């Protein structure tokens, strides 16, 4: 357990390169770091194995609600805050100056608190949501708006891309997770959170399942969600239903370890908890789809001279 001293609203994992100045893993090996977004507007970055606090990032004027590292290992970190901005930080050696870590960009397009941010694995897109019924999709290259995703009935509070960038999920206070094709803006499916009467002692009104966080597993076949009904759920994409549950009180955010098998959850009482999660051996079909979708957009797949059913599989339209 890491003692953050503040309410933990956001989590993001990354690997610190071997041989970089700080921190140094055992024998100069890469080490796993965890960024935590806190209630006072700070971002604290930790070395996971030792629990050592490495440094803090200061700049936001209100709660840091969510964090996302660029998946390409560049140590680019995007933070979302209740101060209505998204900030881009460079934590690499080149991003450090005498006055601390460099802010690359400040995105100020939102008019409400920014609840969440997620960078696509190919580092081309950024999704953010700010207490509105729609999520915004941005270009990570030009920091301009690509499209607005509309479909939820209440505030969107969390979002995440699949490992191949082919899918985007958004979670809302309306107790639903919507899965999108980020390239076309199409809604592919909806996962609805139904209260478990046997596990709960209080009212089964729908607001008890208001969602707080959603994230993909590293192989792209599972989702994890944290809701106000005091449960962490693990969903199998192909089943459209939960396959595992864990009781987590006051949960606000969740994040898979980069290599799977474990999930971290952040809570209102200032703790980070770690949970074991189902492991899966991906099918050869899914591995091929994941490999292809890593560098092919939906439009490029649809343009291929291949059978329609294969196109549907490659664009996740067969579940």
């Amino acid at each position: 357990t890491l003692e953050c001293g503040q309410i933990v609203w956001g989590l993001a994992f990354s690997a610190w390169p071997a041989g970089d100045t700080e921190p140094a893993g055992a024998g100069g090996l890469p080490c796993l770091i965890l960024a935590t977004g806190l209630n006072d507007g700070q971002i604290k970055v930790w070395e996971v194995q030792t629990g050592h606090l490495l440094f803090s990032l200061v700049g936001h004027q209100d709660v840091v609600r969510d964090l996302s590292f660029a998946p390409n290992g560049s140590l680019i970190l995007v933070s979302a805050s209740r101060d209505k901005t998204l900030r881009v930080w460079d934590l690499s050696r080149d991003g450090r100056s005498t006055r601390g870590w460099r802010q690359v960009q400040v995105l100020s397009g939102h008019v409400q608190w920014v609840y969440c941010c997620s960078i696509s694995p190919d580092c081309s897109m950024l999704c953010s949501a700010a207490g509105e019924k729609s999520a915004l999709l941005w270009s990570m290259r030009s920091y301009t708006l690509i499209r607005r995703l509309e479909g939820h009935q209440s505030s969107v509070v969390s979002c995440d891309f699949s490992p191949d960038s082919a899918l985007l999920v958004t979670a809302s206070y309306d107790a639903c997770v919507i899965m999108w094709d980020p390239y076309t803006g199409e809604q592919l499916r909806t996962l609805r959170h139904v209260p478990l009467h046997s596990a709960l002692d209080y009212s089964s009104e729908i607001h008890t399942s208001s969602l707080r966080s959603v994230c993909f597993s590293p192989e792209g076949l599972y989702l994890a969600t944290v809701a106000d009904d005091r449960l962490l759920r693990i969903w199998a994409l192909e089943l459209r239903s939960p396959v595992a549950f864990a009781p987590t009180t006051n949960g606000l955010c969740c994040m898979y370890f980069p290599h799977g098998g474990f999930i971290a959850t952040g809570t209102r009482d200032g703790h980070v908890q770690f949970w074991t999660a189902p492991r899966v051996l991906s099918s050869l079909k899914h591995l091929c789809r994941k490999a292809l979708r890593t560098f092919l957009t939906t439009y490029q797949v649809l343009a291929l001279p291949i059978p329609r059913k294969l196109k549907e599989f490659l664009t996740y339209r067969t579940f």
Side-chain angles (χ1 to χ4, degrees), residues 13-67:
F13 285 107
S14 188
W16 200 281
D20 213 334
T21 54
E22 178 190 9
L29 298 175
C31 69
L32 190 65
I33 61 173
L34 175 67
T36 54
L38 305 181
N39 199 62
D40 62 358
Q42 287 192 75
I43 301 165
K44 290 187 177 182
V45 182
W46 309 78
E47 185 178 356
V48 173
Q49 185 175 2
T50 64
H52 175 59
L53 176 63
L54 299 174
F55 48 81
S56 297
L57 304 174
V58 179
H60 282 296
Q61 304 302 309
D62 208 333
V63 173
V64 176
R65 184 60 180 84
D66 197 21
L67 297 160

Side-chain angles (χ1 to χ4, degrees), residues 22-185:
E22 178 190 9
L29 298 175
C31 69
L32 190 65
I33 61 173
L34 175 67
T36 54
L38 305 181
N39 199 62
D40 62 358
Q42 287 192 75
I43 301 165
K44 290 187 177 182
V45 182
W46 309 78
E47 185 178 356
V48 173
Q49 185 175 2
T50 64
H52 175 59
L53 176 63
L54 299 174
F55 48 81
S56 297
L57 304 174
V58 179
H60 282 296
Q61 304 302 309
D62 208 333
V63 173
V64 176
R65 184 60 180 84
D66 197 21
L67 297 160
S68 181
F69 273 107
N72 59 5
S74 64
L75 290 178
I76 294 295
L77 175 68
V78 175
S79 55
S81 172
R82 283 185 181 176
D83 65 11
K84 304 177 184 178
T85 69
L86 294 136
R87 293 175 187 255
V88 185
W89 310 82
D90 184 357
L91 305 189
S92 69
R93 183 184 304 168
D94 295 337
R96 189 165 192 176
S97 68
T98 56
R99 291 186 292 179
W101 302 93
R102 182 162 60 94
Q103 285 188 116
V104 177
Q105 187 82 20
V106 178
L107 303 181
S108 304
H110 286 292
V111 295
Q112 301 289 340
W113 295 349
V114 187
Y115 283 114
C116 67
C117 60
S118 180
I119 304 173
S120 62
D122 64 5
C123 297
S124 67
M125 296 174 284
L126 168 69
C127 183
S128 63
E132 302 165 345
K133 295 180 182 179
S134 58
L136 301 184
L137 197 63
W138 308 81
S139 167
M140 275 294 286
R141 299 186 177 98
S142 63
Y143 298 110
T144 56
L145 185 65
I146 298 173
R147 66 169 45 89
R148 186 181 297 270
L149 301 172
E150 299 180 333
H152 282 290
Q153 303 304 308
S154 188
S155 298
V156 182
V157 293
S158 183
C159 56
D160 194 28
F161 286 92
S162 62
D164 56 8
S165 303
L167 299 173
L168 171 67
V169 287
T170 54
S172 167
Y173 286 158
D174 64 11
C176 292
V177 170
I178 295 180
M179 192 173 300
W180 311 81
D181 185 321
Y183 296 103
T184 66

Side-chain angles (χ1 to χ4, degrees), residues 219-277:
E219 82 290 324
L221 291 175
Y222 287 101
L223 289 175
T225 58
V226 169
D228 282 348
D229 60 4
R230 305 174 191 169
L231 289 174
L232 165 68
R233 287 174 172 84
I234 311 298
W235 303 73
L237 254 59
E238 297 189 4
L239 299 178
R240 298 198 189 191
S241 60
V243 296
F245 301 86
T248 176
T249 304
N250 294 326
L252 288 174
C253 51
C254 59
M255 183 65 62
Y256 267 90
F257 267 46
H259 303 295
F262 299 94
I263 296 173
T265 57
T267 68
R268 285 184 183 273
D269 54 15
H271 295 119
V272 177
Q273 297 174 314
F274 298 90
W275 308 84
T276 56

